[in-house]
Amino acid sequence: MLEGLETATRSIALVALTTCAFPFSIGVFTLIAQRPPRWVRAGKWAYWKPFSWAQIFLSASLTAILLPQVLGVDPLLGIISVVFGVCFLVISMVFYVMAFRSPGPK
């Protein structure tokens, strides 16, 4: 019973880890194109550099949180990785706030 649950949990973590490539590719696209993708809400008003770094740090945080579970590493290393993942997530949120801030009066 527990083996099936462990296999299902590992499969879900692998699928989530695979989806980490999506925000990473959006961040790289934004850095190369120097603009947010057209389908992003408020894309006209978003600053492209913080938006791209927010996407890249989001991908890094999800990877740091999920990778130890997939690899089955030592619990201490897993805890350290989760701490780094949460730090990356906070950095990503700061970049999101910077990307969609109001430009202010001119």
Side-chain angles (χ1 to χ4, degrees):
M1 176 77 178
L2 289 177
E3 291 175 8
L5 183 62
E6 184 178 322
T7 305
T9 305
R10 184 166 286 187
S11 298
I12 291 170
L14 277 172
V15 169
L17 196 58
T18 306
T19 59
C20 290
F22 183 66
F24 181 76
S25 62
I26 292 173
V28 170
F29 167 80
T30 306
L31 277 177
I32 292 171
Q34 297 184 353
R35 64 170 178 82
R38 298 192 195 288
W39 48 268
V40 172
R41 287 185 162 188
K44 297 176 188 173
W45 300 284
Y47 296 97
W48 62 271
K49 272 189 184 177
F51 178 77
S52 62
W53 285 113
Q55 294 291 323
I56 291 171
F57 275 110
L58 176 67
S59 176
S61 71
L62 292 174
T63 303
I65 291 171
L66 294 173
L67 197 60
Q69 182 179 1
V70 173
L71 296 178
V73 298
D74 184 48
L76 181 62
L77 186 61
I79 291 170
I80 292 170
S81 179
V82 167
V83 168
F84 277 115
V86 170
C87 290
F88 287 151
L89 188 62
V90 169
I91 292 170
S92 173
M93 291 300 130
V94 168
F95 275 122
Y96 272 124
V97 169
M98 289 172 56
F100 292 105
R101 71 183 186 274
S102 156
K106 291 187 177 183

